[in-house]
Coordinates of all heavy atoms in Angstrom, one line a residue:
M1 N 6.4 4.9 27.1 CA 7.6 5.8 26.9 C 7.5 6.4 25.5 O 7.4 5.6 24.7 CB 8.7 5.0 27.1 CG 10.0 5.8 27.7 SD 11.4 4.7 27.8 CE 11.1 3.9 29.2
P2 N 7.7 7.7 25.4 CA 7.4 8.3 24.1 C 8.8 8.0 23.3 O 9.9 7.8 23.8 CB 7.5 9.8 24.3 CG 8.0 9.9 25.7 CD 7.9 8.6 26.4
T3 N 8.6 7.9 22.0 CA 9.8 7.8 21.1 C 10.1 9.0 20.5 O 9.2 9.7 20.0 CB 9.4 6.7 20.0 OG1 9.1 5.5 20.7 CG2 10.6 6.4 19.1
Y4 N 11.3 9.4 20.5 CA 11.8 10.7 19.8 C 12.6 10.3 18.7 O 13.4 9.3 18.7 CB 12.6 11.4 20.8 CG 11.8 11.9 22.1 CD1 12.0 11.3 23.3 CD2 10.8 12.9 22.0 CE1 11.3 11.7 24.4 CE2 10.1 13.3 23.0 CZ 10.5 12.8 24.3 OH 9.6 13.2 25.4
S5 N 12.5 11.2 17.7 CA 13.3 10.9 16.5 C 14.4 12.0 16.5 O 14.0 13.2 16.7 CB 12.5 11.1 15.2 OG 11.7 10.0 15.3
Y6 N 15.6 11.6 16.2 CA 16.7 12.8 16.1 C 17.3 12.6 14.9 O 17.3 11.5 14.3 CB 17.7 12.4 17.3 CG 17.2 12.5 18.7 CD1 16.6 11.6 19.3 CD2 17.3 13.8 19.2 CE1 16.1 11.7 20.6 CE2 16.8 14.0 20.5 CZ 16.3 13.0 21.2 OH 15.8 13.2 22.4
I7 N 17.9 13.6 14.5 CA 18.8 13.8 13.2 C 19.8 14.7 13.3 O 19.8 15.6 14.1 CB 17.8 14.1 12.0 CG1 18.6 13.7 10.7 CG2 17.5 15.5 12.0 CD1 17.7 13.6 9.5
A8 N 21.0 14.4 12.7 CA 22.1 15.1 12.9 C 21.9 16.6 12.4 O 21.2 16.8 11.4 CB 23.3 14.5 12.0
E9 N 22.4 17.6 13.2 CA 22.3 18.9 12.6 C 23.0 19.2 11.4 O 22.6 19.9 10.6 CB 22.7 19.9 13.7 CG 21.7 20.0 14.9 CD 22.0 21.2 15.8 OE1 23.1 21.9 15.6 OE2 21.2 21.3 16.8
D10 N 24.2 18.5 11.3 CA 25.0 18.7 10.2 C 25.2 17.2 9.6 O 26.0 16.5 10.1 CB 26.3 19.3 10.5 CG 27.3 19.5 9.2 OD1 26.7 19.0 8.1 OD2 28.2 20.2 9.3
P11 N 24.3 16.8 8.6 CA 24.4 15.5 8.2 C 25.7 15.1 7.5 O 26.0 13.9 7.4 CB 23.3 15.5 7.1 CG 22.3 16.7 7.5 CD 23.2 17.7 8.0
E12 N 26.5 16.1 7.0 CA 27.8 15.8 6.5 C 28.7 15.2 7.5 O 29.6 14.5 7.2 CB 28.3 17.1 5.9 CG 27.5 17.8 4.9 CD 27.3 16.9 3.6 OE1 28.3 16.3 3.1 OE2 26.2 16.8 3.1
K13 N 28.4 15.5 8.9 CA 29.5 15.1 9.8 C 29.0 13.9 10.6 O 29.7 13.3 11.3 CB 29.7 16.3 10.9 CG 30.5 17.4 10.1 CD 30.8 18.5 11.2 CE 31.4 19.7 10.6 NZ 31.3 20.8 11.3
G14 N 27.7 13.6 10.5 CA 27.2 12.5 11.4 C 27.6 11.2 10.9 O 28.2 11.0 9.9
C15 N 27.3 10.2 11.7 CA 27.6 8.8 11.4 C 26.4 8.4 10.6 O 25.4 9.0 10.5 CB 27.7 7.9 12.7 SG 26.3 7.9 13.7
P16 N 26.5 7.0 10.0 CA 25.3 6.6 9.3 C 23.9 6.7 10.0 O 22.9 6.9 9.4 CB 25.7 5.1 8.9 CG 27.2 5.2 9.0 CD 27.5 6.2 10.0
S17 N 24.0 6.5 11.3 CA 22.7 6.4 12.0 C 22.0 7.9 12.1 O 20.9 8.1 11.6 CB 22.9 6.1 13.5 OG 23.2 4.7 13.6
C18 N 22.7 8.9 12.5 CA 22.2 10.1 12.8 C 22.1 10.9 11.4 O 21.3 12.0 11.3 CB 23.0 10.9 13.8 SG 24.7 11.3 13.5
R19 N 22.9 10.6 10.5 CA 22.7 11.2 9.2 C 21.4 10.9 8.6 O 20.8 11.8 8.0 CB 23.7 10.6 8.2 CG 24.5 11.7 7.4 CD 25.4 11.1 6.4 NE 26.7 10.5 7.2 CZ 27.5 9.6 6.6 NH1 27.2 9.1 5.4 NH2 28.4 9.2 7.3
R20 N 20.9 9.7 8.8 CA 19.6 9.4 8.2 C 18.5 9.6 9.3 O 17.3 9.6 8.9 CB 19.6 8.0 7.9 CG 20.4 7.5 6.7 CD 20.0 6.2 6.2 NE 19.6 5.2 7.3 CZ 20.5 4.3 7.8 NH1 21.7 4.3 7.6 NH2 20.0 3.6 8.7
G21 N 18.9 9.8 10.6 CA 17.9 10.0 11.6 C 17.7 8.8 12.3 O 17.8 7.6 11.7
F22 N 17.4 8.8 13.5 CA 17.2 7.5 14.4 C 16.2 7.9 15.4 O 15.9 9.0 15.8 CB 18.4 7.1 14.9 CG 19.1 8.0 16.0 CD1 18.9 8.0 17.4 CD2 20.1 8.9 15.4 CE1 19.4 8.8 18.2 CE2 20.7 9.8 16.3 CZ 20.3 9.8 17.7
D23 N 15.5 6.8 16.0 CA 14.5 6.9 17.0 C 15.1 6.5 18.2 O 15.9 5.6 18.4 CB 13.4 6.1 16.6 CG 12.6 6.6 15.4 OD1 12.8 7.8 15.1 OD2 11.9 5.8 14.7
L24 N 14.7 7.1 19.3 CA 15.1 6.6 20.7 C 13.9 6.7 21.6 O 13.2 7.8 21.6 CB 16.2 7.7 21.0 CG 17.1 7.2 22.2 CD1 18.0 6.1 21.7 CD2 17.9 8.5 22.7
R25 N 13.8 5.7 22.5 CA 12.8 5.8 23.4 C 13.5 6.4 24.7 O 14.5 5.9 25.1 CB 12.3 4.3 23.7 CG 11.2 4.0 22.9 CD 10.9 2.6 22.9 NE 9.7 2.2 22.1 CZ 8.5 2.1 22.5 NH1 8.2 2.2 23.8 NH2 7.6 1.9 21.7
R26 N 12.8 7.3 25.1 CA 13.4 8.0 26.4 C 12.4 8.4 27.3 O 11.3 9.0 26.9 CB 14.1 9.2 25.8 CG 15.4 9.5 26.3 CD 16.0 10.6 25.4 NE 17.0 11.5 26.2 CZ 18.1 11.2 26.7 NH1 18.7 10.1 26.3 NH2 18.8 12.0 27.4
P27 N 12.6 8.4 28.6 CA 11.6 8.7 29.6 C 11.4 10.3 29.5 O 12.4 11.0 29.1 CB 12.2 8.4 30.9 CG 13.3 7.4 30.6 CD 13.8 7.8 29.3
M28 N 10.3 10.9 29.6 CA 10.0 12.2 29.6 C 10.8 13.0 30.5 O 11.1 14.2 30.3 CB 8.4 12.4 30.0 CG 7.5 11.9 29.0 SD 7.0 13.1 27.8 CE 5.2 12.7 27.8
S29 N 11.1 12.3 31.6 CA 11.9 13.1 32.7 C 13.4 13.4 32.3 O 14.0 14.2 32.8 CB 11.9 12.2 33.9 OG 12.4 11.0 33.6
R30 N 13.9 12.6 31.2 CA 15.1 12.9 30.8 C 15.4 14.0 29.8 O 14.4 14.4 29.1 CB 15.7 11.7 30.1 CG 15.7 10.4 31.0 CD 16.9 10.4 32.0 NE 18.3 10.4 31.3 CZ 18.8 9.4 30.8 NH1 18.4 8.3 30.9 NH2 20.1 9.6 30.4
P31 N 16.3 14.8 30.0 CA 16.4 16.0 29.0 C 16.6 15.4 27.6 O 17.1 14.4 27.3 CB 17.7 16.8 29.5 CG 18.4 15.8 30.4 CD 17.5 14.7 30.9
A32 N 16.3 16.4 26.6 CA 16.3 15.9 25.3 C 17.9 15.6 24.9 O 18.8 16.3 25.4 CB 15.9 17.1 24.3
L33 N 18.0 14.7 24.0 CA 19.3 14.3 23.6 C 19.9 15.4 22.8 O 19.2 16.0 21.9 CB 19.2 13.1 22.7 CG 20.5 12.3 22.5 CD1 20.9 11.6 23.7 CD2 20.2 11.2 21.4
A34 N 21.1 15.8 23.1 CA 21.8 16.8 22.3 C 22.9 16.3 21.3 O 23.3 17.1 20.3 CB 22.3 17.9 23.3
H35 N 23.3 15.2 21.7 CA 24.3 14.6 20.8 C 24.1 13.2 20.4 O 23.5 12.5 21.2 CB 25.8 14.7 21.6 CG 26.2 16.2 21.8 ND1 25.9 16.7 23.1 CD2 26.9 17.0 21.1 CE1 26.4 17.9 23.0 NE2 27.0 18.2 21.8
C36 N 24.6 12.8 19.2 CA 24.4 11.5 19.0 C 25.2 10.5 19.8 O 26.4 10.8 20.0 CB 25.1 11.2 17.5 SG 25.0 9.6 16.9
P37 N 24.6 9.5 20.4 CA 25.3 8.5 21.2 C 26.4 7.8 20.6 O 27.2 7.3 21.2 CB 24.2 7.7 21.8 CG 22.9 7.9 20.9 CD 23.2 9.2 20.1
L38 N 26.4 7.8 19.3 CA 27.4 7.0 18.6 C 28.5 7.8 18.2 O 29.7 7.5 18.4 CB 26.9 6.4 17.3 CG 25.7 5.4 17.6 CD1 25.2 4.8 16.3 CD2 26.2 4.1 18.4
C39 N 28.3 9.0 17.5 CA 29.5 9.8 17.1 C 29.6 11.1 17.8 O 30.6 11.8 17.4 CB 29.3 10.0 15.6 SG 27.9 11.0 15.1
R40 N 28.7 11.5 18.6 CA 28.7 12.7 19.5 C 28.6 14.0 18.7 O 29.0 15.0 19.1 CB 30.2 12.8 20.2 CG 30.5 11.6 21.2 CD 29.7 11.9 22.5 NE 29.4 10.7 23.1 CZ 28.3 10.7 24.1 NH1 27.6 11.8 24.3 NH2 28.1 9.5 24.7
Q41 N 28.1 13.9 17.5 CA 27.7 15.0 16.7 C 26.5 15.6 17.2 O 25.7 14.9 17.7 CB 27.6 14.7 15.2 CG 29.0 14.5 14.5 CD 29.8 15.7 14.5 OE1 29.4 16.9 14.4 NE2 31.1 15.5 14.7
P42 N 26.3 16.9 17.1 CA 25.0 17.5 17.6 C 23.9 17.0 16.9 O 24.0 16.9 15.6 CB 25.2 19.1 17.4 CG 26.7 19.3 17.1 CD 27.2 18.0 16.6
V43 N 22.8 16.7 17.5 CA 21.5 16.1 16.8 C 20.5 17.1 17.3 O 20.5 17.7 18.3 CB 21.3 14.8 17.2 CG1 22.2 13.8 16.6 CG2 21.2 14.5 18.7
K44 N 19.4 17.1 16.5 CA 18.3 17.8 16.9 C 17.0 16.8 16.9 O 17.1 15.9 16.2 CB 17.9 19.0 15.9 CG 17.8 18.6 14.4 CD 17.8 19.8 13.6 CE 17.6 19.3 12.1 NZ 18.0 20.3 11.1
K45 N 16.0 17.2 17.7 CA 14.9 16.4 17.8 C 13.9 16.8 16.7 O 13.5 17.9 16.4 CB 14.3 16.6 19.3 CG 13.4 15.6 19.6 CD 13.0 15.6 21.1 CE 12.0 16.7 21.4 NZ 11.5 16.7 22.8
L46 N 13.3 15.6 16.2 CA 12.3 15.9 15.3 C 10.9 15.8 16.0 O 10.9 15.4 17.0 CB 12.4 14.8 14.0 CG 13.6 14.8 13.3 CD1 13.6 13.7 12.4 CD2 13.7 16.2 12.6
V47 N 9.9 16.2 15.2 CA 8.6 16.1 15.8 C 8.3 14.7 16.2 O 8.4 13.8 15.3 CB 7.5 16.6 14.9 CG1 6.1 16.5 15.4 CG2 7.8 18.0 14.4
S48 N 7.9 14.4 17.5 CA 7.8 13.0 18.0 C 6.5 12.3 17.5 O 5.5 13.1 17.4 CB 7.9 12.9 19.4 OG 6.9 13.8 20.0
T49 N 6.6 11.1 17.2 CA 5.3 10.4 17.0 C 5.3 9.2 18.0 O 6.3 8.8 18.4 CB 5.5 9.8 15.6 OG1 6.8 9.1 15.4 CG2 5.3 10.9 14.5
F50 N 4.0 8.8 18.3 CA 3.9 7.8 19.3 C 3.7 6.4 18.6 O 2.7 6.3 17.9 CB 2.8 8.2 20.2 CG 3.1 9.1 21.2 CD1 3.1 10.5 20.9 CD2 3.6 8.8 22.4 CE1 3.5 11.5 21.8 CE2 4.0 9.8 23.4 CZ 3.9 11.1 23.1
N51 N 4.6 5.5 18.8 CA 4.4 4.2 18.4 C 4.1 4.1 16.8 O 3.4 3.3 16.4 CB 3.4 3.5 19.1 CG 3.6 3.4 20.6 OD1 4.7 3.3 21.0 ND2 2.4 3.7 21.4
T52 N 4.7 5.0 16.1 CA 4.5 4.9 14.7 C 5.7 4.8 13.9 O 6.5 5.8 14.1 CB 3.7 6.2 14.2 OG1 2.7 6.5 15.1 CG2 3.0 5.9 12.9
P53 N 6.0 3.8 13.3 CA 7.4 3.6 12.6 C 7.4 4.5 11.3 O 7.9 3.9 10.4 CB 7.6 2.2 12.4 CG 6.2 1.7 12.3 CD 5.3 2.6 13.1
V54 N 7.0 5.6 11.3 CA 7.1 6.5 10.1 C 8.4 7.1 10.0 O 9.1 7.4 11.0 CB 6.0 7.5 10.0 CG1 4.9 7.2 9.2 CG2 5.6 8.1 11.4
I55 N 8.8 7.3 8.9 CA 10.1 8.0 8.5 C 9.8 9.5 8.6 O 9.0 10.1 7.9 CB 10.6 7.6 7.2 CG1 11.0 6.1 7.1 CG2 11.9 8.4 7.0 CD1 10.9 5.6 5.7
T56 N 10.4 10.1 9.5 CA 10.1 11.5 9.8 C 11.2 12.4 9.3 O 11.1 13.6 9.5 CB 10.0 11.9 11.5 OG1 10.9 11.2 12.1 CG2 8.7 11.3 11.9
R57 N 12.3 11.8 8.9 CA 13.3 12.6 8.3 C 12.9 13.6 7.1 O 12.3 13.1 6.2 CB 14.6 11.8 8.2 CG 14.6 11.2 6.8 CD 15.7 10.1 6.8 NE 15.5 9.3 5.6 CZ 16.1 9.5 4.5 NH1 16.9 10.6 4.2 NH2 15.9 8.7 3.4
P58 N 13.3 14.8 7.3 CA 13.0 15.8 6.2 C 13.8 15.4 5.0 O 14.9 14.9 5.1 CB 13.3 17.1 6.7 CG 14.3 16.8 7.8 CD 14.1 15.5 8.3
L59 N 13.3 15.7 3.8 CA 14.0 15.6 2.5 C 15.0 16.7 2.4 O 14.5 17.8 2.3 CB 13.0 15.5 1.4 CG 13.6 15.1 0.0 CD1 14.1 13.7 0.1 CD2 12.5 15.3 -1.0
S60 N 16.2 16.4 2.4 CA 17.1 17.5 2.2 C 17.6 17.7 0.7 O 17.3 16.7 -0.1 CB 18.4 17.2 3.0 OG 19.1 16.2 2.3
V61 N 18.1 18.8 0.4 CA 18.5 19.0 -1.0 C 19.4 17.9 -1.4 O 19.3 17.3 -2.5 CB 19.1 20.5 -1.1 CG1 19.7 20.5 -2.5 CG2 18.0 21.5 -0.9
T62 N 20.4 17.5 -0.5 CA 21.4 16.5 -0.9 C 20.7 15.2 -1.1 O 21.0 14.6 -2.1 CB 22.3 16.3 0.3 OG1 22.6 17.7 0.8 CG2 23.7 15.6 -0.2
D63 N 19.8 14.9 -0.3 CA 19.1 13.5 -0.5 C 18.3 13.6 -1.8 O 18.2 12.6 -2.5 CB 18.0 13.4 0.7 CG 18.8 12.8 1.9 OD1 20.0 12.5 1.8 OD2 18.1 12.8 3.0
A64 N 17.6 14.7 -2.1 CA 16.8 14.9 -3.2 C 17.7 14.6 -4.5 O 17.3 13.9 -5.4 CB 16.1 16.0 -3.2
K65 N 18.8 15.3 -4.5 CA 19.7 15.2 -5.6 C 20.3 13.8 -5.9 O 20.2 13.3 -6.9 CB 21.0 16.1 -5.4 CG 20.7 17.6 -5.8 CD 22.0 18.3 -5.6 CE 21.8 19.9 -5.9 NZ 23.0 20.4 -5.5
K66 N 20.5 13.0 -4.7 CA 20.9 11.7 -4.8 C 19.9 10.8 -5.4 O 20.2 9.9 -6.0 CB 21.4 11.2 -3.3 CG 22.8 11.4 -3.0 CD 23.1 10.7 -1.6 CE 24.0 11.5 -0.8 NZ 23.8 11.2 0.6
A67 N 18.7 11.2 -5.0 CA 17.5 10.4 -5.5 C 17.2 10.7 -7.0 O 16.3 10.3 -7.7 CB 16.3 10.6 -4.7
G68 N 17.9 11.6 -7.6 CA 17.8 12.0 -9.0 C 16.9 13.2 -9.3 O 16.6 13.6 -10.4
F69 N 16.5 14.0 -8.2 CA 15.6 15.1 -8.3 C 16.4 16.3 -8.7 O 17.5 16.4 -8.4 CB 14.8 15.4 -7.2 CG 13.7 14.4 -6.9 CD1 13.9 13.4 -6.0 CD2 12.5 14.5 -7.4 CE1 12.9 12.4 -5.7 CE2 11.5 13.6 -7.2 CZ 11.7 12.6 -6.4
T70 N 15.8 17.2 -9.5 CA 16.5 18.5 -9.7 C 15.6 19.5 -8.9 O 14.6 19.6 -8.8 CB 16.4 18.9 -11.2 OG1 16.9 17.8 -12.0 CG2 17.0 20.2 -11.4
I71 N 16.5 20.2 -8.0 CA 15.9 21.1 -7.1 C 15.8 22.5 -7.8 O 16.9 22.9 -8.2 CB 16.7 21.2 -5.8 CG1 17.0 19.9 -5.2 CG2 15.9 21.9 -4.8 CD1 15.8 19.0 -4.9
L72 N 14.7 23.1 -7.9 CA 14.5 24.4 -8.3 C 14.1 25.5 -7.4 O 13.2 25.0 -6.5 CB 13.7 24.4 -9.5 CG 14.0 23.6 -10.7 CD1 12.8 23.5 -11.6 CD2 15.1 24.1 -11.4
E73 N 14.8 26.5 -7.2 CA 14.3 27.4 -6.2 C 13.8 28.7 -6.9 O 14.5 29.2 -7.8 CB 15.5 27.8 -5.3 CG 15.1 28.5 -4.1 CD 16.3 28.6 -3.1 OE1 17.1 29.6 -3.3 OE2 16.6 27.7 -2.2
K74 N 12.6 29.1 -6.5 CA 12.1 30.3 -7.1 C 12.8 31.5 -6.7 O 13.0 31.7 -5.5 CB 10.6 30.3 -6.9 CG 9.9 31.2 -7.8 CD 8.5 31.0 -7.8 CE 7.8 31.9 -8.9 NZ 6.6 32.4 -8.7
R75 N 13.1 32.4 -7.5 CA 13.7 33.7 -7.3 C 12.6 34.7 -7.2 O 11.6 34.5 -7.9 CB 14.8 33.9 -8.4 CG 16.1 33.0 -8.2 CD 16.8 33.2 -6.9 NE 17.8 32.2 -6.7 CZ 18.3 31.9 -5.6 NH1 17.9 32.4 -4.5 NH2 19.2 31.0 -5.5
C76 N 13.1 35.9 -6.7 CA 12.1 37.0 -6.6 C 11.6 37.5 -7.9 O 10.4 37.8 -8.2 CB 12.7 38.2 -5.9 SG 13.4 37.7 -4.3
D77 N 12.6 37.3 -9.0 CA 12.1 37.9 -10.3 C 11.3 36.9 -11.0 O 11.0 37.0 -12.2 CB 13.3 38.3 -11.0 CG 14.3 37.1 -11.3 OD1 14.0 36.1 -10.9 OD2 15.5 37.4 -11.8
G78 N 10.9 35.7 -10.3 CA 10.0 34.9 -11.0 C 10.9 33.7 -11.8 O 10.2 32.8 -12.3
S79 N 12.2 33.9 -11.8 CA 12.8 32.7 -12.5 C 13.3 31.7 -11.5 O 13.1 31.9 -10.4 CB 14.2 33.4 -13.1 OG 14.9 33.8 -12.2
Y80 N 13.6 30.7 -12.0 CA 14.1 29.5 -11.2 C 15.5 29.3 -11.3 O 16.1 29.2 -12.4 CB 13.3 28.2 -11.6 CG 11.9 28.2 -11.2 CD1 11.0 28.8 -12.1 CD2 11.4 27.7 -10.0 CE1 9.6 29.0 -11.8 CE2 10.1 27.9 -9.7 CZ 9.2 28.4 -10.6 OH 7.8 28.4 -10.3
E81 N 16.2 29.0 -10.1 CA 17.5 28.8 -10.1 C 17.7 27.3 -9.8 O 17.2 26.8 -8.8 CB 18.4 29.6 -9.1 CG 19.8 29.2 -9.0 CD 20.5 30.2 -8.2 OE1 20.2 31.5 -8.4 OE2 21.5 29.8 -7.6
R82 N 18.6 26.6 -10.7 CA 18.8 25.3 -10.4 C 19.9 25.0 -9.4 O 21.0 25.7 -9.4 CB 19.3 24.6 -11.8 CG 19.3 23.2 -11.7 CD 19.9 22.6 -13.0 NE 20.3 21.2 -12.9 CZ 20.0 20.3 -13.8 NH1 19.5 20.6 -14.9 NH2 20.4 19.1 -13.6
L83 N 19.6 24.4 -8.4 CA 20.5 24.2 -7.2 C 21.5 23.0 -7.4 O 21.0 22.1 -7.9 CB 19.8 24.0 -5.9 CG 19.0 25.3 -5.5 CD1 18.3 24.9 -4.1 CD2 19.8 26.5 -5.2
Ligands
LIG101 ZN1 25.9 9.9 14.9

């Protein structure tokens, strides 16, 4: 049975599970999960991996900031804006 990874579409609203992303084993025949089974917030499917407990959640600006990173976004004029 394939394992799918899901994460909240809006991490600000999700519960602790879907905010960080969670894995779910689900038969192929079942439709993709659209809502978190715990908090009912919309979730989106991440690229699935088979039997690999890797963390697939993308690094968000919020997470990066919490981790102490400074996010710089390059602007058209070549300067960087601090987010
Ligand atoms: Zn949730």
Side-chain angles (χ1 to χ4, degrees):
M1 208 182 285
T3 303
Y4 297 108
S5 298
Y6 292 92
I7 193 161
E9 280 189 4
D10 185 352
E12 300 297 317
K13 289 181 188 160
C15 66
S17 288
C18 59
R19 225 182 289 160
R20 294 196 323 266
F22 59 92
D23 293 336
L24 197 69
R25 273 169 178 261
R26 221 171 147 77
M28 295 263 224
S29 51
R30 300 284 299 278
L33 196 71
H35 296 92
C36 173
L38 297 174
C39 67
R40 297 279 152 205
Q41 286 297 322
V43 289
K44 61 189 171 193
K45 193 165 79 173
L46 298 174
V47 180
S48 60
T49 49
F50 284 83
N51 303 320
T52 321
V54 258
I55 298 151
T56 46
R57 73 194 172 93
L59 185 67
S60 72
V61 171
T62 318
D63 283 347
K65 275 188 189 168
K66 269 187 218 150
F69 288 97
T70 301
I71 313 297
L72 297 172
E73 196 172 84
K74 196 169 190 215
R75 294 292 175 204
C76 308
D77 61 6
S79 66
Y80 288 85
E81 176 167 327
R82 190 177 166 147
L83 296 178

